[in-house]
């Protein structure tokens, strides 16, 4: 897992990649024989854009994916052949260059995933939470849809009021917060949660834990 930032350069990226692989023989490098290495690169579009629109860390990735090798920083006459390595990447939708070099992007299958609609979120989390409450008492099962709707309303209120900025860049609200809320709520057991108020208190606790910590 490699997380890029504004200051990620080709040198620091190469150091991170080489820190996870071994020398096989000669100029060949990679994971242990018989295995493959998959790097997940997060915030791929965040590295600084140079004068002529290039991002040297992404240029390093392009070089490896096109030619299968990178230069040895200590001996530029030698090229390191990096084998059995693949990349999965994600771009930050709220910051960065919002686009990357086409020469790099053409090596990826690109998916643009938007935030699901309110009805989709309701369907997703009512199925998850309602399924969990299936073994609870009927009076507890009736709370499923109400808690899901309350969670979505809280999420909408928070995401509309606390907007991301250059200082508060962490305000990037998505399905992660809702997932974390219901992940905690789904730890409840029917033997211990026998009154509606108990489940409501758990939901409030999980909502505070998720949003207060963001």
């Amino acid at each position: 897992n490699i997380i890029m930032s504004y200051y990620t350069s080709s040198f620091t990226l190469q150091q991170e990649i080489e820190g996870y692989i071994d020398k096989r023989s000669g100029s060949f490098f990679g994971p242990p024989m018989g295995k493959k290495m998959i790097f997940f690169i997060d915030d791929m579009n965040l590295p600084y854009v140079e004068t002529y629109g290039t991002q040297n860390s992404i240029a390093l990735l392009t070089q490896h994916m096109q030619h299968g090798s990178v230069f040895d920083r200590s001996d530029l006459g030698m090229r390191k052949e990096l084998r059995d390595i693949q990349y999965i990447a994600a771009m930050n939708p709220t910051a960065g260059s919002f686009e990357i070099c086409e020469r790099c992007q053409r090596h990826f299958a690109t998916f643009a995933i938007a935030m699901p609609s309110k009805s989709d979120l309701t369907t997703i989390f009512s199925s998850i939470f309602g399924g969990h409450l299936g073994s609870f008492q009927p009076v507890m099962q009736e709370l499923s849809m109400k808690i899901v709707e309350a969670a979505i309303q809280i999420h909408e209120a928070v995401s509309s009021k606390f907007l991301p900025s250059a200082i508060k860049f962490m305000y990037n609200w998505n399905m992660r917060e809702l997932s974390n809320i219901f992940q905690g709520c789904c730890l409840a057991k029917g033997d211990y949660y026998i009154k509606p108020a108990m489940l409501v208190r758990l939901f409030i606790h999980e909502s505070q834990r998720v949003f207060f910590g963001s």
Side-chain angles (χ1 to χ4, degrees):
N1 187 14
I2 298 176
I3 302 176
M4 286 192 170
S5 69
Y6 178 82
Y7 301 100
T8 302
S9 65
S10 61
F11 177 70
T12 57
L13 177 60
Q14 185 171 341
Q15 280 187 317
E16 285 199 71
I17 293 174
E18 292 180 353
Y20 292 103
I21 58 178
D22 305 318
K23 183 173 182 178
R24 290 183 173 178
S25 64
S27 61
F28 295 98
F29 295 78
M33 289 297 295
K35 296 186 177 181
K36 295 184 181 293
M37 176 75 73
I38 299 178
F39 285 102
F40 174 68
I41 302 178
D42 201 8
D43 295 335
M44 187 179 181
N45 58 315
L46 284 190
Y48 66 94
V49 180
E50 297 167 327
T51 305
Y52 298 102
T54 56
Q55 294 166 287
N56 60 62
S57 55
I58 293 179
L60 179 76
L61 288 176
T62 306
Q63 182 185 50
H64 177 221
M65 288 188 287
Q66 288 188 178
H67 303 287
S69 62
V70 296
F71 284 101
D72 187 338
R73 297 277 177 168
S74 59
D75 181 7
L76 295 179
M78 174 185 173
R79 295 180 71 96
K80 294 182 176 181
E81 303 283 342
L82 307 184
R83 299 298 178 88
D84 298 323
I85 293 176
Q86 293 179 308
Y87 298 103
I88 298 176
M91 295 173 62
N92 190 315
T94 61
S97 62
F98 299 110
E99 59 183 31
I100 60 172
C101 172
E102 292 85 355
R103 293 179 179 176
C104 180
Q105 186 173 340
R106 72 185 181 91
H107 292 283
F108 290 89
T110 306
F111 299 90
I113 303 174
M115 182 71 176
S117 65
K118 184 176 181 179
S119 61
D120 291 336
L121 290 173
T122 302
T123 301
I124 292 170
F125 290 105
S126 62
S127 299
I128 295 172
F129 194 48
H132 177 71
L133 295 181
S135 60
F136 285 54
Q137 297 179 13
V139 68
M140 305 294 282
Q141 297 177 21
E142 294 174 0
L143 287 176
S144 173
M145 186 58 69
K146 296 179 181 178
I147 288 179
V148 170
E149 291 176 350
I152 295 174
Q153 289 176 5
I154 293 172
H155 187 274
E156 289 180 344
V158 170
S159 57
S160 61
K161 183 174 182 179
F162 297 95
L163 301 175
S165 64
I167 299 176
K168 298 178 180 180
F169 56 88
M170 74 291 295
Y171 288 165
N172 181 22
W173 312 106
N174 50 47
M175 286 182 66
R176 178 182 59 240
E177 289 76 34
L178 289 172
S179 299
N180 289 339
I181 289 174
F182 288 104
Q183 183 180 34
C185 289
C186 285
L187 295 176
K189 296 182 179 180
D191 295 336
Y192 302 104
Y193 288 81
I194 56 177
K195 295 181 180 179
M198 299 172 69
L199 193 59
V200 171
R201 283 199 294 267
L202 174 63
F203 165 67
I204 294 173
H205 168 76
E206 290 300 320
S207 298
Q208 289 180 330
R209 177 182 64 84
V210 170
F211 289 111
F212 281 23
S214 300

